Amino acid sequence: MQVYNVSYRTGDNVEVIKRSAFTTSFHPATILTLETNRASKRKRKRTRNNNKNSDDEQVQQEEEEEEHVYLVQYQNQQHDIVSYVDFNDIRPQPPQSECFKHLGLSVNDKVDILNDGYWIKGTILAIFYEGFKYLVEIDGDDGVPIEVFRSNLRVHRDYCHGYWIPPPLDHFPEATSGTITKLKTDANGKQLKLRIKVAKRLSEPKFSPGMPVEVKSDEDGYQGSWYTAIVIGSVGVGQFLVEYETLKTEDEKELLKEVANEQYIRPQPPHIPKSCKYKLLDEIDASYNDGWWEGVIYEILDKKKYIVYFASSNEKLVFHHSNLRFRQIWINSKWVLASQHKSSNLKLRISSSKRQYTQNKEHQSFDKATIVEVRIDEPGYEGSWYSARIVRLTQKSRYLVEYLTLKTEDGRKSLKEEAEFQNIRPCPPNIRVDGCFSLLEKVDAWYNDGWWFGVISKVFADKKYLVYFETTKEELEFHHVNLRTHQEWIQGKWINANKEV
């Protein structure tokens, strides 16, 4: 999330904002001097639970970010008044869009009315003489509405974090339809009239005002966190002003407003009942520090409490069942469970690999005596691969193999059997791991004479690990030398399963 700072220089044309209990007015002004009156610090609190066995002890940590507050001297152009004004009560002069002069305004539009040299906020109630005059009610004024010429009106815009709401039409080159006339000076100093035809916008913004969303933070230490918010409006192509539902301003008086990029915004995910128990290594979101943080179930303490591991901060914290939810991913305008998304991707890759094998099996055949690995699909053996030697091709896409570690029932000879082509792969290359395997890293463990796919669920001293096997729901301890990095054979290439593809 970003905070935008605006600075003004001597001579800048601005507007001074005057607020009352009923209305807001904007006074044209010019910056005469700039002074720094004081500096304040913006603090963000993070609550950390450093006790793995209890969620009662919490530590408040504060992160400070400097944010300067200025006083400026301004001159009111109508009454020639010189005064000091706080930085927060100044804004640039709003842009004037010619499109509105040509197309007119509509009933209920918010406008600013020019009144004695300053602008005051109001609402259009009626339109007279084909847009030549307007009946306008001044906000907060219970008096009689007034008639105003079009030349004394402008579109009302709010200024927030460096953006105008609504944005000028220049931000949307295809925002509306009509013809705009502009003056341009050529190389000889002659003014030329240019007529610019503006087409209708091809598509509406993805997020409409009032829409409940979640916004992702990209700040250091906050990666993997989502915060609920309401969209206020679009501030340009691919950018929106949002108001958070749980984050507040420094003085804690108002909800925080911020501009967010489109790629960091998503609709709020649908509710999934929490009646079922979370399982080890389930991907979840945890309600923490006013947001939802992406994590993984690291340990199950009892029916209602879990230890959750956060990869972004390398922390393990205790959470109650009610403060967790299944992680969902917003993909192609649809919500997908994170576990199903990864499973679907894997199935798609395997399916693509099988198609590739089928199309090119004549070129990918295994020669006699080649050392390979064979997958066994029998119940209880899913995810296991066994070293074998190719004996011969028995029929189309089937091979007779001789296992290097599996024996016949009497234990005297190496086991031989036929295997389908799609269940055979070359031996994976060795990936040297000089250090230690990491928590949640995908590995193959040497177990029961074969390599079994698992995930590191705990890291011990002396290069020992606890490995979790999804197929058998077991956790077993292994030494570093009995593990290898898990790789997948896809479309004739080895892919490290711990890296993005």
Side-chain angles (χ1 to χ4, degrees), residues 20-213:
S20 69
F22 304 103
T23 189
T24 303
S25 58
F26 307 93
H27 301 252
T30 301
I31 299 293
L32 299 181
T33 62
L34 175 66
E35 294 184 10
T36 302
N37 182 52
R38 62 186 183 277
S40 65
K41 289 186 176 181
R42 175 173 174 259
K43 297 180 180 179
R44 295 185 68 171
K45 291 185 177 180
R46 296 184 67 189
T47 304
R48 296 177 181 269
N49 183 343
N50 295 324
N51 188 344
K52 296 180 181 179
N53 298 318
S54 171
D55 58 350
D56 295 330
E57 293 189 19
Q58 294 183 336
V59 179
Q60 294 284 345
Q61 297 188 352
E62 291 185 351
E63 297 178 357
E64 295 187 346
E65 176 183 335
E66 288 189 356
E67 184 179 88
H68 294 285
V69 179
Y70 300 92
L71 288 178
V72 298
Q73 189 177 19
Y74 80 98
Q75 182 179 21
N76 185 291
Q77 295 174 349
Q78 179 71 13
H79 301 291
D80 197 23
I81 296 175
V82 177
S83 176
Y84 281 95
V85 179
D86 190 86
F87 174 79
N88 294 320
D89 292 329
I90 293 178
R91 71 177 195 175
Q93 287 192 354
Q96 296 300 305
S97 173
E98 293 178 333
C99 291
F100 282 107
K101 293 179 182 179
H102 287 276
L103 300 179
L105 296 166
S106 301
V107 173
N108 294 325
D109 277 355
K110 291 293 183 181
V111 292
D112 294 333
I113 307 113
L114 187 60
N115 178 41
D116 292 332
Y118 64 90
W119 298 89
I120 190 166
K121 185 178 177 182
T123 305
I124 292 178
L125 300 181
I127 302 174
F128 305 132
Y129 312 116
E130 297 183 350
F132 183 71
K133 265 190 175 184
Y134 296 82
L135 184 66
V136 182
E137 180 182 56
I138 297 176
D139 287 6
D141 189 348
D142 295 332
V144 178
I146 59 175
E147 290 187 10
V148 183
F149 288 103
R150 183 174 59 187
S151 58
N152 291 329
L153 291 178
R154 71 181 185 187
V155 177
H156 175 75
R157 290 185 172 94
D158 292 311
Y159 191 71
C160 185
H161 299 302
Y163 292 90
W164 290 103
I165 310 295
L169 292 185
D170 291 343
H171 286 200
F172 299 106
E174 299 177 347
T176 185
S177 60
T179 302
I180 303 174
T181 303
K182 289 190 176 183
L183 292 177
K184 184 177 177 67
T185 304
D186 64 10
N188 299 320
K190 185 178 180 180
Q191 282 193 335
L192 305 175
K193 278 189 177 182
L194 299 181
R195 291 187 178 272
I196 302 173
K197 193 171 183 179
V198 183
K200 290 185 178 180
R201 187 193 296 178
L202 297 179
S203 61
E204 293 298 321
K206 287 186 177 180
F207 305 101
S208 56
M211 182 178 180
V213 294

Side-chain angles (χ1 to χ4, degrees), residues 82-344:
V82 177
S83 176
Y84 281 95
V85 179
D86 190 86
F87 174 79
N88 294 320
D89 292 329
I90 293 178
R91 71 177 195 175
Q93 287 192 354
Q96 296 300 305
S97 173
E98 293 178 333
C99 291
F100 282 107
K101 293 179 182 179
H102 287 276
L103 300 179
L105 296 166
S106 301
V107 173
N108 294 325
D109 277 355
K110 291 293 183 181
V111 292
D112 294 333
I113 307 113
L114 187 60
N115 178 41
D116 292 332
Y118 64 90
W119 298 89
I120 190 166
K121 185 178 177 182
T123 305
I124 292 178
L125 300 181
I127 302 174
F128 305 132
Y129 312 116
E130 297 183 350
F132 183 71
K133 265 190 175 184
Y134 296 82
L135 184 66
V136 182
E137 180 182 56
I138 297 176
D139 287 6
D141 189 348
D142 295 332
V144 178
I146 59 175
E147 290 187 10
V148 183
F149 288 103
R150 183 174 59 187
S151 58
N152 291 329
L153 291 178
R154 71 181 185 187
V155 177
H156 175 75
R157 290 185 172 94
D158 292 311
Y159 191 71
C160 185
H161 299 302
Y163 292 90
W164 290 103
I165 310 295
L169 292 185
D170 291 343
H171 286 200
F172 299 106
E174 299 177 347
T176 185
S177 60
T179 302
I180 303 174
T181 303
K182 289 190 176 183
L183 292 177
K184 184 177 177 67
T185 304
D186 64 10
N188 299 320
K190 185 178 180 180
Q191 282 193 335
L192 305 175
K193 278 189 177 182
L194 299 181
R195 291 187 178 272
I196 302 173
K197 193 171 183 179
V198 183
K200 290 185 178 180
R201 187 193 296 178
L202 297 179
S203 61
E204 293 298 321
K206 287 186 177 180
F207 305 101
S208 56
M211 182 178 180
V213 294
E214 290 187 348
V215 182
K216 185 178 183 179
S217 173
D218 61 351
E219 290 185 8
D220 290 339
Y222 290 85
Q223 291 92 343
S225 60
W226 292 86
Y227 298 87
T228 58
I230 299 296
V231 174
I232 295 178
S234 173
V235 294
V237 178
Q239 293 184 314
F240 297 85
L241 180 67
V242 299
E243 182 179 68
Y244 292 99
E245 294 182 325
T246 57
L247 300 180
K248 292 189 175 182
T249 54
E250 178 189 351
D251 57 13
E252 299 289 331
K253 292 182 179 180
E254 297 180 355
L255 293 173
L256 179 64
K257 293 186 179 72
E258 202 163 51
V259 173
N261 291 326
E262 184 179 281
Q263 62 265 34
Y264 294 136
I265 307 176
R266 68 183 187 185
Q268 291 186 9
H271 174 71
I272 297 178
K274 300 178 182 179
S275 56
C276 56
K277 184 180 179 182
Y278 296 106
K279 302 188 298 295
L280 197 66
L281 300 183
D282 271 354
E283 296 182 62
I284 51 85
D285 296 330
S287 180
Y288 177 55
N289 275 347
D290 300 321
W292 288 100
W293 293 68
E294 297 175 354
V296 177
I297 298 295
Y298 175 80
E299 186 175 333
I300 301 173
L301 300 180
D302 54 35
K303 293 182 179 180
K304 292 295 182 181
K305 285 188 179 181
Y306 307 84
I307 294 180
V308 175
Y309 173 74
F310 300 98
S312 60
S313 59
N314 196 29
E315 292 179 294
K316 294 188 286 288
L317 306 176
V318 177
F319 286 89
H320 192 272
H321 184 89
S322 60
N323 292 325
L324 301 176
R325 70 182 187 187
F326 284 105
R327 188 188 309 170
Q328 300 178 72
I329 303 175
W330 182 245
I331 300 176
N332 297 327
S333 300
K334 293 182 181 180
W335 284 106
V336 180
L337 279 173
S339 57
Q340 293 179 357
H341 171 61
K342 291 187 176 181
S343 175
S344 297

